[in-house]
Structures are given as structure tokens and as C-alpha cells.
Amino acid sequence: KGQYVVIYLPGASRTLNFCELTVKTKVNGLECGTNVDNTYYVQGNTYQLMCPACGTTGSVYGTGTYAARSSVCTAAIHAGVITQEGGCIYATIGAGAANFRGSTQNGVTSRDYGGLGKSFDLAACAGTIEKTACQTPGVGSCTNNTMVLQCPKDMVLLIETASYGIAPSCSAPDTFDIVRQRCSHKNTCKLTADINLFGDPCTGNKQLKVSYYCQVSAPCPASSFACGSGQCIDHALVCDGTKDCYDGSDENSTN
């Protein structure tokens, strides 16, 4: 009730359904006492959830790894993943344990609990990450001409902004599209600040700046074609003479 989640299904293709996730990241949220002690939450899956401002109300059992009957949002405060004002969290459902040990952390006291069929671990939803590389390292404050964009396991890159040039005077016009085609929906991606890749919009030591965030991966539905760059498109768009995938894989496919 009142929940909207993004689920990663182990063993399935790790291609991101970009259109679905664009909607699903607008999480409706949990109720303050919601736990994961029901069949809806499947062991091995990771769920993106939004906690409201609940304060420290709600029962919590365990420390670090929590019994499934614990209030997810209160446990997230206990773990230091969010504050009492709420926020976005990732909950990974795991197996039960013989004993869960309580403790007092961040204004929340959790309790001991005996074995249970499921548990969960928590992580904060990462905010935007910014990286910078430059054409000529060692000039000014820039020290590298390469960057590595990377997300945790079972998560993928979503590119927010990208520019190559000298701010604010010049910027290569296709930088965002190039970075998105190379990196979007992958777990890790390496980029080089190189005029052969981005063009040469002006003289001087140009900088490549990229901001991105990480999202839980989700498979394409069986009715869709999975692009190499991560989108899911209708099968009717494959080999129709127009590149609908960012990487053009819909026009290179033999499937």
C-alpha cells in the first residue's frame, strides 16, 4: 500500500527499461510502519523506496542487517542511511539469521530478535556524482585526462549532464549525446578528454565534465527489443532504417 518500487530480478537480463524507470523513480513512498515481512518482497531483490518523515517511531530488530518485521524507514534512520526527515533508500532482501542483535544508534534503539525467514540490508540512494578530466593533465588544477564512471553492483549509470570545452566560452555541441551513447545504462564506463572523440570547439586546455547518478537495474519486458545502450524499444522499430537505440544496435541486430 502506498509503495512504488523498482525491482532488480536476479538471473534476468540487466538491461534497463529507461521509460519505465523514468516514471518509477517518482516514488510514492512507504507508510511509516511498513516492513518487508510479506511475500511481495522477494529474497535476493533490491527495492528503491521513499521514506516519509516518520521520526523514530516504529519497531526495529537488529543492527546493520535487520529482521524483516522491522519498520524499514525507522531501521534506515538507525543505520544512518537517512535522517528523521525521510528520504530515498535501497533495501536488499536477504535470508534470515539465528539472532538479530539490537543497539542504539542515531536516536533509535533496536531490539534483539530470534531467527526469521527474511532480513534486509539498507543503502542510501546515491545523489549526483561529478567527474572532471582534461585534454592536457598537469595544466591548472586538472590532473587526469581520463575518468571512470562507476556504480555499485546491480546498478547502472544514468547520465545527467556532460560538456567538453572551456567554460563558459565554448563547448562541443554533441558531448551529452556521445557520453550517453557510450555510458548510459552500463555499470561502469571509461571516458577520455579527447578531441578525436568530442571535437575541438576552441583552443586551450579543454575539460570534460560529466555528472551522473546510479539506478537499480531492471530487465526489458519480453515484448521489447533490448538495445545495447540499455533502452527497451518496440520490436517493430528494429531494422526499420532508423536508429532508435542510442548506440544504433537496433539497426545492427541479427535477432
Side-chain angles (χ1 to χ4, degrees):
K1 181 179 178 180
Q3 301 170 34
Y4 214 81
V5 301
V6 177
I7 308 174
Y8 164 65
L9 300 175
S13 166
R14 294 187 181 182
T15 306
L16 177 71
N17 185 336
F18 183 77
C19 295
E20 285 190 11
L21 282 182
T22 300
V23 175
K24 289 185 177 180
T25 51
K26 297 175 182 176
V27 188
N28 290 332
L30 302 177
E31 295 179 353
C32 291
T34 300
N35 63 47
V36 297
D37 191 17
N38 58 63
T39 56
Y40 184 83
Y41 296 94
V42 179
Q43 186 174 322
N45 287 359
T46 297
Y47 298 80
Q48 182 184 2
L49 306 168
M50 183 65 75
C51 289
C54 293
T56 57
T57 60
S59 299
V60 181
Y61 306 91
T63 301
T65 296
Y66 298 93
R69 68 176 295 177
S70 302
S71 163
V72 176
C73 294
T74 310
I77 298 170
H78 181 268
V81 171
I82 58 172
T83 67
Q84 293 185 34
E85 271 127 32
C88 179
I89 62 171
Y90 292 118
T92 301
I93 312 303
N99 291 288
F100 295 89
R101 296 298 181 192
S103 65
T104 298
Q105 298 179 167
N106 303 308
V108 177
T109 298
S110 66
R111 291 182 271 177
D112 296 345
Y113 194 75
L116 193 71
K118 286 192 299 187
S119 65
F120 62 91
D121 292 286
L122 297 163
C125 297
T128 299
I129 302 164
E130 297 182 353
K131 295 282 182 88
T132 301
C134 58
Q135 182 186 4
T136 308
V139 177
S141 59
C142 185
T143 57
N144 297 295
N145 74 333
T146 61
M147 65 172 68
V148 176
L149 316 182
Q150 189 165 11
C151 289
K153 180 184 175 184
D154 299 336
M155 299 182 73
V156 293
L157 299 160
L158 292 182
I159 306 304
E160 195 168 65
T161 63
S163 64
Y164 180 70
I166 301 175
S169 58
C170 72
S171 180
D174 298 325
T175 305
F176 178 74
D177 287 338
I178 292 169
V179 172
R180 185 175 62 175
Q181 288 169 13
R182 285 178 168 253
C183 299
S184 235
H185 317 304
K186 296 180 179 179
N187 176 258
T188 185
C189 180
K190 184 176 181 180
L191 295 168
T192 301
D194 186 357
I195 60 173
N196 294 316
L197 177 60
F198 297 105
D200 194 0
C202 53
T203 23
N205 190 23
K206 291 163 279 294
Q207 289 192 342
L208 172 63
K209 295 186 177 183
V210 179
S211 64
Y212 69 95
Y213 60 98
C214 298
Q215 178 61 272
V216 176
S217 180
C220 284
S223 58
S224 297
F225 173 79
C227 301
S229 50
Q231 311 116 279
C232 301
I233 64 170
D234 193 288
H235 275 294
L237 299 175
V238 177
C239 299
D240 66 349
T242 301
K243 292 183 179 180
D244 298 286
C245 295
Y246 295 149
D247 62 354
S249 56
D250 56 317
E251 298 307 307
N252 300 323
S253 174
T254 56
N255 296 330

